[in-house]
PDB file of all heavy atoms in Angstrom:
ATOM      1  N   LEU V1213      37.339 -26.069  35.423  1.00 87.00           N
ATOM      2  CA  LEU V1213      37.593 -25.962  36.948  1.00 87.00           C
ATOM      3  C   LEU V1213      38.733 -25.250  37.306  1.00 87.00           C
ATOM      4  O   LEU V1213      38.971 -24.819  38.443  1.00 87.00           O
ATOM      5  CB  LEU V1213      37.550 -27.417  37.534  1.00 87.00           C
ATOM      6  CG  LEU V1213      36.263 -28.135  37.312  1.00 87.00           C
ATOM      7  CD1 LEU V1213      36.342 -29.552  37.965  1.00 87.00           C
ATOM      8  CD2 LEU V1213      35.097 -27.398  37.954  1.00 87.00           C
ATOM      9  N   GLU V1214      39.711 -24.984  36.273  1.00 86.00           N
ATOM     10  CA  GLU V1214      40.920 -24.266  36.566  1.00 86.00           C
ATOM     11  C   GLU V1214      40.584 -22.715  36.404  1.00 86.00           C
ATOM     12  O   GLU V1214      41.436 -21.916  36.825  1.00 86.00           O
ATOM     13  CB  GLU V1214      42.040 -24.636  35.542  1.00 86.00           C
ATOM     14  CG  GLU V1214      42.803 -25.934  36.022  1.00 86.00           C
ATOM     15  CD  GLU V1214      43.245 -25.716  37.537  1.00 86.00           C
ATOM     16  OE1 GLU V1214      44.093 -24.794  37.808  1.00 86.00           O
ATOM     17  OE2 GLU V1214      42.798 -26.532  38.401  1.00 86.00           O
ATOM     18  N   ASN V1215      39.532 -22.454  35.722  1.00 85.00           N
ATOM     19  CA  ASN V1215      39.220 -21.023  35.454  1.00 85.00           C
ATOM     20  C   ASN V1215      38.975 -20.212  36.763  1.00 85.00           C
ATOM     21  O   ASN V1215      38.344 -20.643  37.720  1.00 85.00           O
ATOM     22  CB  ASN V1215      37.962 -20.927  34.646  1.00 85.00           C
ATOM     23  CG  ASN V1215      37.569 -19.549  34.219  1.00 85.00           C
ATOM     24  OD1 ASN V1215      37.005 -18.814  35.054  1.00 85.00           O
ATOM     25  ND2 ASN V1215      37.982 -19.077  33.099  1.00 85.00           N
ATOM     26  N   GLU V1216      39.663 -18.957  36.769  1.00 83.00           N
ATOM     27  CA  GLU V1216      39.583 -18.142  37.992  1.00 83.00           C
ATOM     28  C   GLU V1216      38.137 -17.813  38.463  1.00 83.00           C
ATOM     29  O   GLU V1216      37.841 -17.902  39.613  1.00 83.00           O
ATOM     30  CB  GLU V1216      40.381 -16.794  37.704  1.00 83.00           C
ATOM     31  CG  GLU V1216      41.885 -16.990  37.695  1.00 83.00           C
ATOM     32  CD  GLU V1216      42.390 -17.626  38.968  1.00 83.00           C
ATOM     33  OE1 GLU V1216      41.957 -17.166  40.070  1.00 83.00           O
ATOM     34  OE2 GLU V1216      43.242 -18.492  38.866  1.00 83.00           O
ATOM     35  N   ILE V1217      37.332 -17.412  37.483  1.00 85.00           N
ATOM     36  CA  ILE V1217      36.030 -16.981  37.834  1.00 85.00           C
ATOM     37  C   ILE V1217      35.191 -18.164  38.366  1.00 85.00           C
ATOM     38  O   ILE V1217      34.460 -18.091  39.342  1.00 85.00           O
ATOM     39  CB  ILE V1217      35.285 -16.259  36.635  1.00 85.00           C
ATOM     40  CG1 ILE V1217      36.101 -15.064  36.276  1.00 85.00           C
ATOM     41  CG2 ILE V1217      33.858 -15.993  36.905  1.00 85.00           C
ATOM     42  CD1 ILE V1217      35.724 -14.418  34.956  1.00 85.00           C
ATOM     43  N   VAL V1218      35.379 -19.316  37.663  1.00 86.00           N
ATOM     44  CA  VAL V1218      34.675 -20.512  38.129  1.00 86.00           C
ATOM     45  C   VAL V1218      35.135 -20.879  39.592  1.00 86.00           C
ATOM     46  O   VAL V1218      34.285 -21.143  40.444  1.00 86.00           O
ATOM     47  CB  VAL V1218      34.929 -21.672  37.257  1.00 86.00           C
ATOM     48  CG1 VAL V1218      34.272 -22.971  37.727  1.00 86.00           C
ATOM     49  CG2 VAL V1218      34.385 -21.389  35.776  1.00 86.00           C
ATOM     50  N   LYS V1219      36.404 -20.757  39.826  1.00 84.00           N
ATOM     51  CA  LYS V1219      36.944 -21.074  41.109  1.00 84.00           C
ATOM     52  C   LYS V1219      36.327 -20.172  42.191  1.00 84.00           C
ATOM     53  O   LYS V1219      35.975 -20.540  43.207  1.00 84.00           O
ATOM     54  CB  LYS V1219      38.436 -20.877  41.125  1.00 84.00           C
ATOM     55  CG  LYS V1219      39.271 -22.118  40.721  1.00 84.00           C
ATOM     56  CD  LYS V1219      40.668 -21.874  41.025  1.00 84.00           C
ATOM     57  CE  LYS V1219      41.598 -22.937  40.404  1.00 84.00           C
ATOM     58  NZ  LYS V1219      42.997 -22.487  40.374  1.00 84.00           N
ATOM     59  N   LYS V1220      36.252 -18.853  41.846  1.00 82.00           N
ATOM     60  CA  LYS V1220      35.662 -17.854  42.761  1.00 82.00           C
ATOM     61  C   LYS V1220      34.255 -18.283  43.135  1.00 82.00           C
ATOM     62  O   LYS V1220      33.898 -18.185  44.298  1.00 82.00           O
ATOM     63  CB  LYS V1220      35.667 -16.519  42.029  1.00 82.00           C
ATOM     64  CG  LYS V1220      35.372 -15.353  42.981  1.00 82.00           C
ATOM     65  CD  LYS V1220      35.111 -14.083  42.246  1.00 82.00           C
ATOM     66  CE  LYS V1220      33.723 -13.844  41.817  1.00 82.00           C
ATOM     67  NZ  LYS V1220      33.496 -12.692  40.939  1.00 82.00           N
ATOM     68  N   TRP V1221      33.539 -18.774  42.213  1.00 83.00           N
ATOM     69  CA  TRP V1221      32.045 -19.162  42.472  1.00 83.00           C
ATOM     70  C   TRP V1221      32.050 -20.490  43.300  1.00 83.00           C
ATOM     71  O   TRP V1221      31.033 -20.762  44.004  1.00 83.00           O
ATOM     72  CB  TRP V1221      31.266 -19.155  41.262  1.00 83.00           C
ATOM     73  CG  TRP V1221      30.967 -17.812  40.894  1.00 83.00           C
ATOM     74  CD1 TRP V1221      31.520 -16.932  39.910  1.00 83.00           C
ATOM     75  CD2 TRP V1221      29.843 -17.001  41.369  1.00 83.00           C
ATOM     76  NE1 TRP V1221      30.948 -15.784  39.790  1.00 83.00           N
ATOM     77  CE2 TRP V1221      29.869 -15.705  40.740  1.00 83.00           C
ATOM     78  CE3 TRP V1221      28.857 -17.251  42.310  1.00 83.00           C
ATOM     79  CZ2 TRP V1221      29.031 -14.675  41.017  1.00 83.00           C
ATOM     80  CZ3 TRP V1221      27.918 -16.280  42.582  1.00 83.00           C
ATOM     81  CH2 TRP V1221      28.012 -14.935  41.919  1.00 83.00           C
ATOM     82  N   LEU V1222      32.951 -21.289  42.980  1.00 79.00           N
ATOM     83  CA  LEU V1222      32.931 -22.622  43.672  1.00 79.00           C
ATOM     84  C   LEU V1222      33.232 -22.545  45.150  1.00 79.00           C
ATOM     85  O   LEU V1222      32.640 -23.262  45.898  1.00 79.00           O
ATOM     86  CB  LEU V1222      34.100 -23.539  43.029  1.00 79.00           C
ATOM     87  CG  LEU V1222      33.824 -24.130  41.698  1.00 79.00           C
ATOM     88  CD1 LEU V1222      34.849 -25.036  41.230  1.00 79.00           C
ATOM     89  CD2 LEU V1222      32.375 -24.796  41.594  1.00 79.00           C
ATOM     90  N   GLU V1223      34.094 -21.568  45.534  1.00 77.00           N
ATOM     91  CA  GLU V1223      34.449 -21.391  46.930  1.00 77.00           C
ATOM     92  C   GLU V1223      34.705 -22.715  47.577  1.00 77.00           C
ATOM     93  O   GLU V1223      34.292 -22.993  48.755  1.00 77.00           O
ATOM     94  CB  GLU V1223      33.325 -20.707  47.696  1.00 77.00           C
ATOM     95  CG  GLU V1223      33.204 -19.239  47.222  1.00 77.00           C
ATOM     96  CD  GLU V1223      31.953 -18.649  47.948  1.00 77.00           C
ATOM     97  OE1 GLU V1223      31.147 -19.356  48.365  1.00 77.00           O
ATOM     98  OE2 GLU V1223      31.847 -17.395  47.886  1.00 77.00           O
ATOM     99  N   ASP V1224      35.401 -23.564  46.844  1.00 75.00           N
ATOM    100  CA  ASP V1224      35.843 -24.930  47.372  1.00 75.00           C
ATOM    101  C   ASP V1224      34.676 -25.873  47.635  1.00 75.00           C
ATOM    102  O   ASP V1224      34.970 -26.907  48.315  1.00 75.00           O
ATOM    103  CB  ASP V1224      36.708 -24.728  48.678  1.00 75.00           C
ATOM    104  CG  ASP V1224      37.939 -24.010  48.457  1.00 75.00           C
ATOM    105  OD1 ASP V1224      38.445 -24.253  47.266  1.00 75.00           O
ATOM    106  OD2 ASP V1224      38.446 -23.292  49.315  1.00 75.00           O
ATOM    107  N   LYS V1225      33.451 -25.383  47.242  1.00 79.00           N
ATOM    108  CA  LYS V1225      32.395 -26.396  47.465  1.00 79.00           C
ATOM    109  C   LYS V1225      32.492 -27.513  46.341  1.00 79.00           C
ATOM    110  O   LYS V1225      33.122 -27.244  45.300  1.00 79.00           O
ATOM    111  CB  LYS V1225      31.056 -25.725  47.175  1.00 79.00           C
ATOM    112  CG  LYS V1225      30.481 -25.038  48.510  1.00 79.00           C
ATOM    113  CD  LYS V1225      29.192 -24.286  48.206  1.00 79.00           C
ATOM    114  CE  LYS V1225      29.486 -22.774  47.887  1.00 79.00           C
ATOM    115  NZ  LYS V1225      28.308 -21.999  47.613  1.00 79.00           N
ATOM    116  N   PRO V1226      32.055 -28.692  46.627  1.00 81.00           N
ATOM    117  CA  PRO V1226      32.269 -29.790  45.711  1.00 81.00           C
ATOM    118  C   PRO V1226      31.286 -29.589  44.473  1.00 81.00           C
ATOM    119  O   PRO V1226      30.182 -29.098  44.633  1.00 81.00           O
ATOM    120  CB  PRO V1226      31.772 -30.991  46.448  1.00 81.00           C
ATOM    121  CG  PRO V1226      30.984 -30.505  47.558  1.00 81.00           C
ATOM    122  CD  PRO V1226      31.333 -29.158  47.881  1.00 81.00           C
ATOM    123  N   VAL V1227      31.753 -30.037  43.283  1.00 85.00           N
ATOM    124  CA  VAL V1227      30.955 -29.853  42.135  1.00 85.00           C
ATOM    125  C   VAL V1227      30.067 -31.060  42.066  1.00 85.00           C
ATOM    126  O   VAL V1227      30.580 -32.270  42.083  1.00 85.00           O
ATOM    127  CB  VAL V1227      31.848 -29.849  40.848  1.00 85.00           C
ATOM    128  CG1 VAL V1227      31.075 -29.900  39.613  1.00 85.00           C
ATOM    129  CG2 VAL V1227      32.660 -28.543  40.854  1.00 85.00           C
ATOM    130  N   LYS V1228      28.808 -30.935  42.028  1.00 85.00           N
ATOM    131  CA  LYS V1228      27.898 -32.103  42.008  1.00 85.00           C
ATOM    132  C   LYS V1228      27.885 -32.712  40.618  1.00 85.00           C
ATOM    133  O   LYS V1228      27.816 -33.945  40.495  1.00 85.00           O
ATOM    134  CB  LYS V1228      26.430 -31.579  42.319  1.00 85.00           C
ATOM    135  CG  LYS V1228      25.907 -31.981  43.600  1.00 85.00           C
ATOM    136  CD  LYS V1228      24.409 -31.753  43.785  1.00 85.00           C
ATOM    137  CE  LYS V1228      23.987 -31.339  45.100  1.00 85.00           C
ATOM    138  NZ  LYS V1228      22.930 -30.514  45.211  1.00 85.00           N
ATOM    139  N   LYS V1229      27.881 -31.862  39.633  1.00 86.00           N
ATOM    140  CA  LYS V1229      27.608 -32.329  38.233  1.00 86.00           C
ATOM    141  C   LYS V1229      28.213 -31.303  37.275  1.00 86.00           C
ATOM    142  O   LYS V1229      28.096 -30.097  37.715  1.00 86.00           O
ATOM    143  CB  LYS V1229      26.107 -32.464  38.044  1.00 86.00           C
ATOM    144  CG  LYS V1229      25.663 -33.447  37.008  1.00 86.00           C
ATOM    145  CD  LYS V1229      24.220 -33.758  37.250  1.00 86.00           C
ATOM    146  CE  LYS V1229      23.378 -34.230  36.207  1.00 86.00           C
ATOM    147  NZ  LYS V1229      21.979 -34.133  36.540  1.00 86.00           N
ATOM    148  N   LEU V1230      28.745 -31.729  36.216  1.00 88.00           N
ATOM    149  CA  LEU V1230      29.165 -30.749  35.298  1.00 88.00           C
ATOM    150  C   LEU V1230      28.415 -31.149  33.866  1.00 88.00           C
ATOM    151  O   LEU V1230      28.640 -32.245  33.402  1.00 88.00           O
ATOM    152  CB  LEU V1230      30.739 -30.712  35.112  1.00 88.00           C
ATOM    153  CG  LEU V1230      31.135 -29.563  34.139  1.00 88.00           C
ATOM    154  CD1 LEU V1230      32.453 -28.899  34.778  1.00 88.00           C
ATOM    155  CD2 LEU V1230      31.531 -30.085  32.782  1.00 88.00           C
ATOM    156  N   ILE V1231      27.726 -30.222  33.367  1.00 90.00           N
ATOM    157  CA  ILE V1231      26.931 -30.533  32.112  1.00 90.00           C
ATOM    158  C   ILE V1231      27.716 -29.782  30.966  1.00 90.00           C
ATOM    159  O   ILE V1231      27.940 -28.575  30.958  1.00 90.00           O
ATOM    160  CB  ILE V1231      25.535 -30.072  32.226  1.00 90.00           C
ATOM    161  CG1 ILE V1231      24.782 -30.993  33.178  1.00 90.00           C
ATOM    162  CG2 ILE V1231      24.855 -30.115  30.843  1.00 90.00           C
ATOM    163  CD1 ILE V1231      23.576 -30.498  33.812  1.00 90.00           C
ATOM    164  N   PHE V1232      28.077 -30.716  29.975  1.00 91.00           N
ATOM    165  CA  PHE V1232      28.783 -30.156  28.786  1.00 91.00           C
ATOM    166  C   PHE V1232      28.066 -30.564  27.576  1.00 91.00           C
ATOM    167  O   PHE V1232      27.850 -31.698  27.251  1.00 91.00           O
ATOM    168  CB  PHE V1232      30.232 -30.700  28.930  1.00 91.00           C
ATOM    169  CG  PHE V1232      31.009 -30.493  27.588  1.00 91.00           C
ATOM    170  CD1 PHE V1232      31.262 -29.138  27.234  1.00 91.00           C
ATOM    171  CD2 PHE V1232      31.424 -31.523  26.850  1.00 91.00           C
ATOM    172  CE1 PHE V1232      31.939 -28.930  26.015  1.00 91.00           C
ATOM    173  CE2 PHE V1232      32.149 -31.251  25.643  1.00 91.00           C
ATOM    174  CZ  PHE V1232      32.402 -29.988  25.270  1.00 91.00           C
ATOM    175  N   VAL V1233      27.602 -29.617  26.914  1.00 89.00           N
ATOM    176  CA  VAL V1233      26.911 -29.962  25.567  1.00 89.00           C
ATOM    177  C   VAL V1233      27.915 -29.389  24.567  1.00 89.00           C
ATOM    178  O   VAL V1233      28.078 -28.219  24.366  1.00 89.00           O
ATOM    179  CB  VAL V1233      25.495 -29.270  25.379  1.00 89.00           C
ATOM    180  CG1 VAL V1233      24.946 -29.674  24.143  1.00 89.00           C
ATOM    181  CG2 VAL V1233      24.642 -29.686  26.569  1.00 89.00           C
ATOM    182  N   LYS V1234      28.490 -30.267  23.748  1.00 87.00           N
ATOM    183  CA  LYS V1234      29.514 -29.991  22.839  1.00 87.00           C
ATOM    184  C   LYS V1234      29.025 -28.947  21.857  1.00 87.00           C
ATOM    185  O   LYS V1234      27.933 -29.134  21.218  1.00 87.00           O
ATOM    186  CB  LYS V1234      30.008 -31.165  22.093  1.00 87.00           C
ATOM    187  CG  LYS V1234      31.267 -31.008  21.261  1.00 87.00           C
ATOM    188  CD  LYS V1234      31.947 -32.292  20.919  1.00 87.00           C
ATOM    189  CE  LYS V1234      33.228 -31.890  20.231  1.00 87.00           C
ATOM    190  NZ  LYS V1234      34.125 -33.075  20.117  1.00 87.00           N
ATOM    191  N   GLY V1235      29.840 -27.886  21.681  1.00 86.00           N
ATOM    192  CA  GLY V1235      29.471 -26.841  20.757  1.00 86.00           C
ATOM    193  C   GLY V1235      28.419 -25.923  21.163  1.00 86.00           C
ATOM    194  O   GLY V1235      28.007 -25.024  20.544  1.00 86.00           O
ATOM    195  N   ARG V1236      27.891 -26.172  22.368  1.00 88.00           N
ATOM    196  CA  ARG V1236      26.767 -25.284  22.951  1.00 88.00           C
ATOM    197  C   ARG V1236      27.091 -24.515  24.273  1.00 88.00           C
ATOM    198  O   ARG V1236      27.210 -23.374  24.155  1.00 88.00           O
ATOM    199  CB  ARG V1236      25.575 -26.288  23.222  1.00 88.00           C
ATOM    200  CG  ARG V1236      24.873 -26.700  21.997  1.00 88.00           C
ATOM    201  CD  ARG V1236      23.788 -25.711  21.613  1.00 88.00           C
ATOM    202  NE  ARG V1236      23.021 -26.260  20.524  1.00 88.00           N
ATOM    203  CZ  ARG V1236      22.249 -25.492  19.763  1.00 88.00           C
ATOM    204  NH1 ARG V1236      22.335 -24.166  19.937  1.00 88.00           N
ATOM    205  NH2 ARG V1236      21.588 -26.043  18.716  1.00 88.00           N
ATOM    206  N   MET V1237      27.228 -25.333  25.339  1.00 90.00           N
ATOM    207  CA  MET V1237      27.405 -24.619  26.553  1.00 90.00           C
ATOM    208  C   MET V1237      27.968 -25.609  27.670  1.00 90.00           C
ATOM    209  O   MET V1237      28.055 -26.759  27.512  1.00 90.00           O
ATOM    210  CB  MET V1237      26.043 -24.005  27.106  1.00 90.00           C
ATOM    211  CG  MET V1237      24.893 -24.878  26.944  1.00 90.00           C
ATOM    212  SD  MET V1237      24.833 -26.412  28.008  1.00 90.00           S
ATOM    213  CE  MET V1237      24.661 -25.645  29.526  1.00 90.00           C
ATOM    214  N   ILE V1238      28.287 -24.932  28.826  1.00 91.00           N
ATOM    215  CA  ILE V1238      28.779 -25.637  30.046  1.00 91.00           C
ATOM    216  C   ILE V1238      28.072 -25.204  31.205  1.00 91.00           C
ATOM    217  O   ILE V1238      27.843 -23.914  31.342  1.00 91.00           O
ATOM    218  CB  ILE V1238      30.303 -25.455  30.105  1.00 91.00           C
ATOM    219  CG1 ILE V1238      31.114 -25.942  28.985  1.00 91.00           C
ATOM    220  CG2 ILE V1238      30.819 -26.067  31.468  1.00 91.00           C
ATOM    221  CD1 ILE V1238      32.399 -25.372  28.848  1.00 91.00           C
TER     222      ILE V1238
END
Side-chain angles (χ1 to χ4, degrees):
Chain V
L1213 297 180
E1214 276 312 298
N1215 181 279
E1216 285 304 316
I1217 296 168
V1218 175
K1219 274 191 188 162
K1220 191 186 89 187
W1221 283 95
L1222 287 183
E1223 290 173 345
D1224 297 327
K1225 275 178 270 180
V1227 174
K1228 249 193 217 151
K1229 206 164 157 193
L1230 188 137
I1231 287 155
F1232 169 62
V1233 183
K1234 192 163 184 164
R1236 285 272 186 200
M1237 46 64 69
I1238 295 158

